[in-house]
Amino acid sequence: NRVVAVSFCEGPARALALLDEIDADPRLSRSHQRWVVRAELLHRSGDDAGAAAAYRAALGHARTTAERSHLQRRLDALGAPA
């Protein structure tokens, strides 16, 4: 939540730096959410290739069909190959 708030106050670059700092937390290692946040921040930064890679990583961690469907739609919206 803090990373998202920082992204709106200080911009996606600062939020990505903050996300890099907390990515080492083992509690987040199996969560697709950190990858979704990274994808959104990279997209907002203009790095659609990086965003696509992060969405692909999120797809690999998503647990439900609904999550995977949503993430696939986000990936498709970037126009990135599967």
Side-chain angles (χ1 to χ4, degrees):
N1 290 338
R2 179 172 181 235
V3 171
V4 174
V6 167
S7 77
F8 287 103
C9 294
E10 299 179 36
R14 174 66 185 114
L16 281 164
L18 183 59
L19 188 58
D20 287 341
E21 292 174 18
I22 63 172
D23 261 353
D25 186 330
R27 294 173 294 180
L28 300 176
S29 65
R30 292 179 295 228
S31 172
H32 71 287
Q33 294 169 340
R34 71 182 178 134
W35 292 107
V36 173
V37 171
R38 182 172 297 283
E40 291 294 321
L41 293 172
L42 288 167
H43 175 64
R44 287 180 45 205
S45 296
D47 181 0
D48 284 347
Y55 276 127
R56 287 187 197 96
L59 278 165
H61 292 281
R63 294 182 180 183
T64 70
T65 301
E67 289 170 345
R68 285 188 292 277
S69 295
H70 173 73
L71 294 170
Q72 188 61 56
R73 284 191 301 274
R74 300 296 299 197
L75 181 59
D76 292 346
L78 291 176

